[in-house]
């Protein structure tokens, strides 16, 4: 499909890549990876024809259709989102226009026997056939399915595209590309601005796409689920691995380890050769030998090892003082804009140590809820913080709040406390700021660099309650690993909004879902949540095969804060089980309180009074076993309820 022949691209500071020979075949799903600035986006622009390579050639069929999604799109057309897609296919537009012209003539002419009239009928038949071949009669259905899959409601589809935010324009452009079914898709960060369900839909689409796909993404799970081949741009070369991202990383790590060992041996040999040259250079009878060693050294192909950009640091969020048993209480909280109600009557208490992922489609009010908690917007109801609660908040516009007059190092130096101050340069390196970069002023940083710096500042701020709104935007894969590792070991409480499934997976112990103006609390894991949502939203699986059936998650546990859906009429068996489960939950709550009281009592006892201490300890172990028994009974009743 595409053949790269000795391809190269040269900048004033040197080659991004040179002498590249590659072949991309129909059906290839390629993940393009490499450090920031390695040339990934440049390669996509060369393949699409937006810019020319400085060396070599690209060979492909003359009529090959490219679909290229860039990160810097500019769409300001005065059309609705739907019309933007409807009129995006020139061929169908031409056929449709000519069909309208012919039909208009046929309704006004009466010379039915004339050759020109019969010629019109023949042309009409031919055009209808062409329209059908190019799926013109399925065009509207394809547009609707694609827009719904990418999260556009019927109301959103009628919005003027010039009035949409940058993220929704990006979605509209992606929809335009997909609906026109090019031969090869070139996608630069396609999951930016997509919510979790839309990412799942796009993933499904690309898996079934017949053409070739070359994509750049910082979403590890997306890369693994879509790509079957990985191209890495490194050291001005492009390395080809016939594996998805995670398998490639494992093999690449093994290869780098072998290279490091070879480099150590080579460095040792070079040092020994240099010592011999120095030893024999001045001796007349050994001068020729020294010269031969020098020539040998000059011809040596030096081994270079490019290590991962981010050091394997074990960063931790510093914990402020321990808060009380509950950290946040929402009472009848609600928010609406104009006539649109986002959520209402939300009443929830968050306990110490809870790890919450706030998920749901774009536009349902996730960021708004966080702003209500922080008190930065007006809202209905009340928000109360618990005893000793200290919040660190990362908003989507957090980068804009940095002082532009300070340097990168000065910015973090003002925040860091204690032992962290000794590791500031290493911590900055984990967020891709190294060497002289740390002396740059904030005012000259790009949007992505500012976001990374703002997140680094958050990491250095002591707190016991983190509220994070899309913290992984603009982070590369390794930086996300650093952040996730820090959150996994965080001893405090957090609420996090993110559409990065791999990042969210395993972080939370419950999921909040804004749905129908209220909040559902899910106690199952991320994959079970996605299965549950895909079941409830069949349009998101429109591209699945007819034989595909998504199984519901086992032991679905959903707590509804308020009645957001009409409850069915339970039969007596269900009612009985629900009463028993409710009773068990009350017993569990009482038992947990009792264990907490005994723990506190143990903390105040005199350890030297072994008899008294052992009595209380034995009582604690007994009550702990009782609690485990209650948990088992509760689980059995839940299973019975599911079966009923």
């Amino acid at each position: 499909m595409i053949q790269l022949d000795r391809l190269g691209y040269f900048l004033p500071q040197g080659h991004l890549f040179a002498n590249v020979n590659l072949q991309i075949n129909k059906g290839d799903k390629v993940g393009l990876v490499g450090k920031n600035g390695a040339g990934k986006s440049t390669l996509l622009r060369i393949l699409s024809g937006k810019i020319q390579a400085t060396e070599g050639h690209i060979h492909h069929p003359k009529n090959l259709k490219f679909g290229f999604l860039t990160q810097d799109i500019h769409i300001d057309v005065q059309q609705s989102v739907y019309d933007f897609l409807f009129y995006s296919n020139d061929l169908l537009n031409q056929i449709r226009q000519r069909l309208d012209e012919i039909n208009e003539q046929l309704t006004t002419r009466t010379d039915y026997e004339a050759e020109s009239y019969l010629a019109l009928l023949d042309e009409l038949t031919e055009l209808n056939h062409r329209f059908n071949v190019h799926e013109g009669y399925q065009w509207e259905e394809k547009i609707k399915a694609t827009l719904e899959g990418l999260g556009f409601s019927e109301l959103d589809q009628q919005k003027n595209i010039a009035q949409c935010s940058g993220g929704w324009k990006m979605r509209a452009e992606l929809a335009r590309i997909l609906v026109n079914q090019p031969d090869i898709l070139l996608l630069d960060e396609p999951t930016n601005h997509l919510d979790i369900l839309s990412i799942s839909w796009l993933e499904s689409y690309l898996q079934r796409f017949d053409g070739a796909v070359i994509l750049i993404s910082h979403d590890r799970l997306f890369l693994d689920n879509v790509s079957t081949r990985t191209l890495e741009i490194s050291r001005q070369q492009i390395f080809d691995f016939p594996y998805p991202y995670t398998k490639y990383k494992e093999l690449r790590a093994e290869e780098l380890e072998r290279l490091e060992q070879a480099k150590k041996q080579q460095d040792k040999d070079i040092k020994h050769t240099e010592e011999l040259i120095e030893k024999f250079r001045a001796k007349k009878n050994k001068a020729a030998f020294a010269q031969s060693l020098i020539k040998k050294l000059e011809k040596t192909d030096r081994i270079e090892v490019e290590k991962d950009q981010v050091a394997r640091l074990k960063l931790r969020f510093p914990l402020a003082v321990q808060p009380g048993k509950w950290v946040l209480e929402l009472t009848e909280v609600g928010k609406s804009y104009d006539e649109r109600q986002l959520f209402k009557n939300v009443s929830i208490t968050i306990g110490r140590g809870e790890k919450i992922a706030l998920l749901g489609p774009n536009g349902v009010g996730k960021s708004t809820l966080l702003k209500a908690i922080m008190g930065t917007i007006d809202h209905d109801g009340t928000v109360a913080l618990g005893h000793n609660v200290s919040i660190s908040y990362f908003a989507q516009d957090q980068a804009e709040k940095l002082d532009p007059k300070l340097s990168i190092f000065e910015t973090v130096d003002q925040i860091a406390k204690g032992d962290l101050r000794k590791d500031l340069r290493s911590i900055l390196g984990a967020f891709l700021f190294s060497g002289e970069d740390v002396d740059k002023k904030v005012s000259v940083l790009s949007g992505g660099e500012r976001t990374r710096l703002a997140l680094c500042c958050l990491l250095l701020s002591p707190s016991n309650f983190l509220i994070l709104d899309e913290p992984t935007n603009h982070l590369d894969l390794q930086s996300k690993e650093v952040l996730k590792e820090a959150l996994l070991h965080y001893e405090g409480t957090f609420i996090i909004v993110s559409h990065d499934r791999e990042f969210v997976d395993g972080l939370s112990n419950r999921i909040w879902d804004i749905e129908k103006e209220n909040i559902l609390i899910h106690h199952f894991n991320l994959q079970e949540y996605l299965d549950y949502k895909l079941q409830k939203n069949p349009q998101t699986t429109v591209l699945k095969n007819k034989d595909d059936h998504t199984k519901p998650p086992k032991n679905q546990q959903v707590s509804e804060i308020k009645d957001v859906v009409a409850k069915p009429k339970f039969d007596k068996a269900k009612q009985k089980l629900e009463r028993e489960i409710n009773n068990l939950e009350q017993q569990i709550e009482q038992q947990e309180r009792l264990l907490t009281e005994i723990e506190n009592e143990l903390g105040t006892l005199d350890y030297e009074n072994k008899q008294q201490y052992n009595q209380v300890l034995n009582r604690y172990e007994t009550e702990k076993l009782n609690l485990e028994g209650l948990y088992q009974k509760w689980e059995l009743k839940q299973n019975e309820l599911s079966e009923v």
Side-chain angles (χ1 to χ4, degrees), residues 235-290:
R235 304 196 310 276
Q236 302 176 4
Q237 302 175 66
I238 297 182
F239 298 93
D240 192 352
F241 297 84
Y243 308 103
Y245 181 80
T246 297
K247 181 67 174 176
Y248 139 77
K249 284 293 288 183
E250 293 171 359
L251 294 173
R252 187 71 170 128
E254 293 173 5
E255 184 179 323
L256 286 173
E257 189 175 343
R258 287 194 296 271
L259 274 175
E260 283 184 10
Q261 294 301 320
K263 187 178 186 309
K264 285 180 183 178
Q265 184 59 47
Q266 187 185 65
D267 289 344
K268 186 177 178 181
D269 293 342
I270 288 172
K271 185 179 178 182
H272 179 64
T273 303
E274 288 173 342
E275 288 173 351
L276 289 175
I277 291 169
E278 195 63 32
K279 181 177 180 181
F280 298 124
R281 189 195 299 268
K283 297 182 178 180
K284 289 183 180 180
N285 59 337
K286 296 289 185 180
F289 176 59

Side-chain angles (χ1 to χ4, degrees), residues 571-623:
D571 57 27
K572 289 183 179 180
K574 283 186 177 179
Q575 290 176 347
K576 182 183 177 184
L577 283 169
E578 285 192 323
R579 285 196 300 271
E580 290 175 348
I581 288 170
N582 186 51
N583 183 44
L584 282 168
E585 287 174 348
Q586 291 178 5
Q587 291 181 50
I588 287 170
E589 192 174 338
Q590 292 173 0
Q591 193 69 14
E592 286 176 339
R593 282 201 296 268
L594 177 60
L595 280 174
T596 302
E597 290 171 4
I598 299 174
E599 284 176 357
N600 293 336
E601 186 180 350
L602 280 168
T604 59
L605 288 177
D606 182 1
Y607 294 107
E608 293 183 0
N609 189 342
K610 293 184 178 180
Q611 183 177 358
Q612 184 185 14
Y613 183 78
N614 287 333
Q615 284 177 352
V616 177
L617 186 61
N618 289 336
R619 184 156 60 93
Y620 176 79
E621 294 297 335
T622 301
E623 298 299 344

Side-chain angles (χ1 to χ4, degrees), residues 315-502:
L315 301 182
R316 300 287 183 267
F317 284 102
L319 189 68
V321 294
Q322 279 285 2
K325 290 184 179 179
W326 62 272
V327 298
L328 179 72
E329 186 173 42
L330 307 181
T331 307
E332 303 295 317
V333 172
K335 181 63 181 176
S336 61
Y337 287 104
D338 299 324
E339 297 180 357
R340 187 185 178 196
Q341 185 80 44
L342 292 176
F343 47 84
K344 61 183 179 182
N345 301 328
V346 175
S347 298
I348 309 175
T349 299
I350 299 178
R352 180 178 63 208
E354 289 189 25
K355 309 291 192 284
I356 297 162
L358 177 56
L359 306 179
N362 286 344
V364 296
K366 300 186 297 297
S367 295
T368 303
L369 179 61
L370 298 187
K371 290 174 184 175
I373 291 172
M374 293 304 301
T376 57
I377 58 171
D378 296 328
H379 58 84
D380 300 329
T382 59
V383 176
L385 295 179
H387 178 64
N388 277 341
V389 171
S390 172
I391 296 179
S392 284
Y393 175 48
F394 184 88
Q396 287 194 34
D397 61 349
Q398 195 71 25
E400 305 307 315
K401 300 174 183 177
L402 298 171
D403 188 342
K405 298 176 184 175
L406 297 178
S407 70
I408 292 173
F409 188 84
E410 289 168 343
T411 300
V412 296
D413 192 44
Q414 286 188 346
I415 297 169
K417 307 289 186 218
D419 291 340
L420 285 173
R421 296 180 62 81
K422 296 183 293 186
D423 299 320
L424 280 184
R425 290 188 178 272
S426 296
I427 292 170
L428 284 170
F431 288 91
L432 311 185
F433 300 113
S434 58
E436 296 177 357
D437 288 344
V438 301
D439 298 319
K440 286 182 181 177
K441 296 293 183 185
V442 171
S443 59
V444 303
L445 299 181
S446 67
E449 288 172 327
R450 288 191 184 206
T451 301
R452 296 201 308 271
L453 180 57
L455 194 57
C456 186
C457 291
L458 183 80
L459 190 83
L460 298 168
S461 305
S463 66
N464 48 37
F465 187 13
L466 296 175
I467 296 180
L468 311 176
D469 193 358
E470 294 289 0
T472 61
N473 283 355
H474 307 291
L475 288 187
D476 76 339
L477 287 160
Q478 291 169 311
S479 296
K480 282 194 286 190
E481 287 177 13
V482 172
L483 176 60
K484 182 171 182 176
E485 185 72 14
L487 287 171
L488 283 169
H489 291 87
Y490 182 55
E491 296 177 9
T493 306
F494 64 69
I495 302 175
I496 185 167
V497 173
S498 177
H499 298 310
D500 188 319
R501 294 163 300 167
E502 196 274 335

Side-chain angles (χ1 to χ4, degrees), residues 91-130:
L91 177 61
L92 291 181
N93 290 342
Q94 292 167 12
I95 297 174
R96 198 182 295 113
Q97 182 180 354
R98 183 57 184 156
L99 283 172
D100 290 342
E101 291 171 357
I102 293 174
N103 283 318
E104 186 177 351
Q105 290 186 51
L106 292 177
T107 57
T108 57
R109 291 178 59 165
T110 57
D111 54 338
Y112 307 125
E113 302 298 327
E115 287 188 13
S116 59
Y117 188 90
L118 295 174
L120 276 180
L121 289 177
D122 290 340
E123 186 181 358
L124 180 66
T125 302
E126 173 62 22
L127 286 171
N128 274 317
H129 175 69
R130 287 181 64 199

